[in-house]
Amino acid sequence: MDTDLDHPGVQRLRCSVQNYDWGKRGAESKVARLFALNSGYDSVQDDKPFAEFWMGTHESGPSFLVNGAVENGNAIGSVSLSLKEWIAMNPTVLGHGVLNKWGCDLPFLFKVLSIAKALSIQAHPDKKLAKLLHKLQPNVYKDDNHKPEMALAITDFEALCGFISLKELKAVLNNVPEIIELIGPGVASQALNLNEEDDEQKVKSVLRSVFTQLMSAGKEITTKVISKLKSRLHLESEIRQLTEKEHLVLHLEKQYPGDDGVISAFLFNHVKLHPGEALYLGANEPHAYIFGECIECMATSDNVVRAGLTPKHRDIQTLSSMLTYKQGFPEILKGFPLSQYVTRYLPPFDEFEVDRCILPSKASTVFPAVPGPSVFIVTSGEGAMHSLTSKDVITEGDVLFAPASTEIRITASSELHLYRAGVNSRFFQIL
């Protein structure tokens, strides 16, 4: 590998892991396996959850350059500089456009997630709100950046995302009396009297009242009402088929007994992704990942405003006030082919895009040189990565940083699954 800092080439990275409670445990977790292989460990720890594998420069989970030898595709050298420090020493690796727009840092954060248990109902603030929250509560909101993000399914994947339509909302209020008990008949009546011809702002205002009242009802009454809901659904399951959403609510109640986020799931779209399908989430949009494994990419931030399905800090007032209250099912991205083996996912955010590459044994593909940096992760298989200055054996768990204007050729020695994150190519078209 080329390690001449005057002419930096592709760099191998050692990356960080987050052991959040909702992560899959031990050998069941793709994150645990990738982290063990990336770190050079012989085995996976079975006694704790492995939730997120982070690749990037965020201070909560930085990546580091590996100096030294590679044995059987595994880095065995020492860890030296952080990627952020190295970029500061070599700013040209970002390319001029990226450097001018975002300064001397990687504008995206790349992750793998392994989810056993639902994440919190949450949203990410826009830039203006992020700056304010960071200033007011820096211990809770760790940075001042926005966090648009995209989840690309590796396995079958489930999430709650965005508010259901007005028609569906009315059906929920007519069929889930426990919600009316929490929000009150006045707010429920306002929602039931809405129609499709009503002003959009009026509809959003009423939806905001429904959600805010539901999340603010108080622990004692919420616990009591969820217990009633659970008993009712178990009784009704003996005489009718429960709906998919009802099954989901009972599943969430097992994970988070008495939590106000359980009943709020009725208000959100239940999204199911197959491998290779993606979901993007803009600022101030409510969501909660439920189960599965995915590649995730986002602007470099860790700002999360939570309001349910979590033991962590909740900020119901901020979340209720910041949401867009847009209704309707979210767009599912299926990507578009760049080549025979590479599919690109292009969200409407400047900071990032993701390529998915599935390369059969003995096949090759080229990632053309682009004006910004790229981060590659191998999630299964093995092969070789060629650039003008280096040739690297690559295998599962390997993460590599490619500077701007670096053409990369990949050859598979067994079926190879690889993902690339980079700055959104549309960004360079408007420079």
Side-chain angles (χ1 to χ4, degrees):
M1 179 181 291
D2 178 7
T3 56
D4 180 352
L5 292 183
D6 291 326
H7 302 284
V10 173
Q11 304 292 323
R12 193 177 289 267
L13 301 179
R14 188 154 294 170
C15 301
S16 299
V17 73
Q18 306 288 0
N19 302 104
Y20 305 138
D21 180 61
W22 49 259
K24 291 189 175 184
R25 291 185 177 269
E28 293 183 353
S29 172
K30 184 71 171 175
V31 164
R33 179 172 173 82
L34 291 172
F35 176 66
L37 292 168
N38 181 262
S39 303
Y41 298 150
D42 294 330
S43 60
V44 171
Q45 290 177 276
D46 285 326
D47 59 344
K48 62 181 178 179
F50 287 81
E52 297 187 354
F53 184 64
W54 285 28
M55 301 162 279
T57 58
H58 196 282
E59 61 185 20
S60 296
S63 298
F64 295 85
L65 269 66
V66 177
N67 290 331
V70 175
E71 186 177 276
N72 298 324
N74 291 318
I76 59 173
S78 61
V79 168
S80 58
L81 295 171
S82 71
L83 178 59
K84 188 167 186 174
E85 291 169 327
W86 183 77
I87 288 172
M89 294 168 61
N90 301 274
T92 58
V93 300
L94 297 176
H96 295 302
V98 173
L99 195 57
N100 290 338
K101 169 82 172 179
W102 290 286
C104 200
D105 197 6
L106 204 61
F108 58 84
L109 177 58
F110 203 22
K111 298 181 182 180
V112 182
L113 273 59
S114 292
I115 301 163
K117 180 178 173 181
L119 280 69
S120 54
I121 292 172
Q122 60 185 257
H124 307 300
D126 58 29
K127 282 189 176 181
K128 183 178 178 182
L129 180 58
K131 288 181 185 295
L132 177 63
L133 292 174
H134 178 61
K135 183 178 179 180
L136 295 175
Q137 300 182 71
N139 292 333
V140 176
Y141 303 107
K142 308 281 187 174
D143 56 73
D144 63 0
N145 199 14
H146 69 161
K147 191 187 174 188
E149 65 185 26
M150 179 172 67
L152 169 54
I154 298 175
T155 65
D156 285 338
F157 189 82
E158 293 184 46
L160 295 170
C161 180
F163 287 101
I164 55 177
S165 68
L166 180 57
K167 181 180 178 182
E168 291 170 300
L169 175 62
K170 288 184 176 184
V172 164
L173 293 175
N174 283 319
N175 292 298
V176 188
E178 295 82 5
I179 289 183
I180 295 178
E181 191 170 344
L182 289 175
I183 67 175
V187 172
S189 179
Q190 286 179 8
L192 288 168
N193 288 328
L194 289 171
N195 58 65
E196 299 293 344
E197 290 74 41
D198 279 328
D199 176 71
E200 182 182 1
Q201 291 309 311
K202 179 182 177 182
V203 175
K204 287 184 177 183
S205 177
V206 173
L207 179 56
R208 175 174 172 169
S209 295
V210 170
F211 180 70
T212 304
Q213 288 291 111
L214 190 62
M215 300 304 286
S216 309
K219 180 68 177 172
E220 187 176 341
I221 187 171
T222 299
T223 302
K224 177 184 168 186
V225 166
I226 289 174
S227 179
K228 286 171 66 174
L229 170 68
K230 182 179 167 184
S231 298
R232 177 175 67 80
L233 291 179
H234 282 310
L235 280 172
E236 291 186 11
S237 69
E238 297 175 7
I239 55 173
R240 69 171 176 90
Q241 184 78 29
L242 294 184
T243 67
E244 191 176 86
K245 185 66 73 70
E246 287 170 335
H247 278 297
L248 173 61
V249 166
L250 289 174
H251 174 69
L252 294 175
E253 195 279 333
K254 283 183 181 177
Q255 295 180 347
Y256 298 95
D259 191 292
D260 49 15
V262 169
I263 201 163
S264 72
F266 280 112
L267 304 184
F268 301 120
N269 299 294
H270 185 194
V271 180
K272 295 183 176 182
L273 301 180
H274 298 299
E277 294 181 333
L279 182 68
Y280 67 74
L281 301 152
N284 305 323
E285 294 295 342
H287 60 282
Y289 298 155
I290 297 170
F291 183 81
E293 293 181 308
C294 73
I295 294 288
E296 192 179 42
C297 200
M298 63 201 62
T300 301
S301 173
D302 196 32
N303 279 325
V304 181
V305 183
R306 301 178 181 88
L309 304 182
T310 181
K312 295 183 180 180
H313 174 76
R314 300 171 186 227
D315 193 344
I316 293 168
Q317 184 178 354
T318 299
L319 187 78
S320 298
S321 65
M322 69 189 269
L323 298 180
T324 66
Y325 293 99
K326 285 194 296 191
Q327 292 178 279
F329 203 79
E331 181 183 2
I332 305 301
L333 300 180
K334 297 184 183 293
F336 59 91
L338 278 189
S339 64
Q340 185 177 0
Y341 305 118
V342 180
T343 303
R344 173 160 292 173
Y345 301 81
L346 206 59
F349 318 118
D350 285 349
E351 285 88 347
F352 62 90
E353 66 187 16
V354 175
D355 294 338
R356 176 181 187 245
C357 175
I358 298 179
L359 204 56
S361 179
K362 310 302 181 190
S364 294
T365 194
V366 172
F367 289 85
V370 293
S374 298
V375 174
F376 293 85
I377 178 169
V378 181
T379 56
S380 66
E382 57 185 42
M385 176 181 282
H386 306 259
S387 70
L388 187 63
T389 56
S390 64
K391 177 184 176 182
D392 290 292
V393 174
I394 55 173
T395 187
E396 184 180 2
D398 282 345
V399 180
L400 301 106
F401 176 90
S405 305
T406 305
E407 182 180 278
I408 299 292
R409 182 164 61 88
I410 309 286
T411 303
S413 48
S414 66
E415 182 174 282
L416 186 70
H417 290 222
L418 174 145
Y419 295 84
R420 167 196 164 266
V423 173
N424 196 307
S425 51
R426 290 195 189 114
F427 168 72
F428 300 111
Q429 294 168 9
I430 60 175
L431 286 180

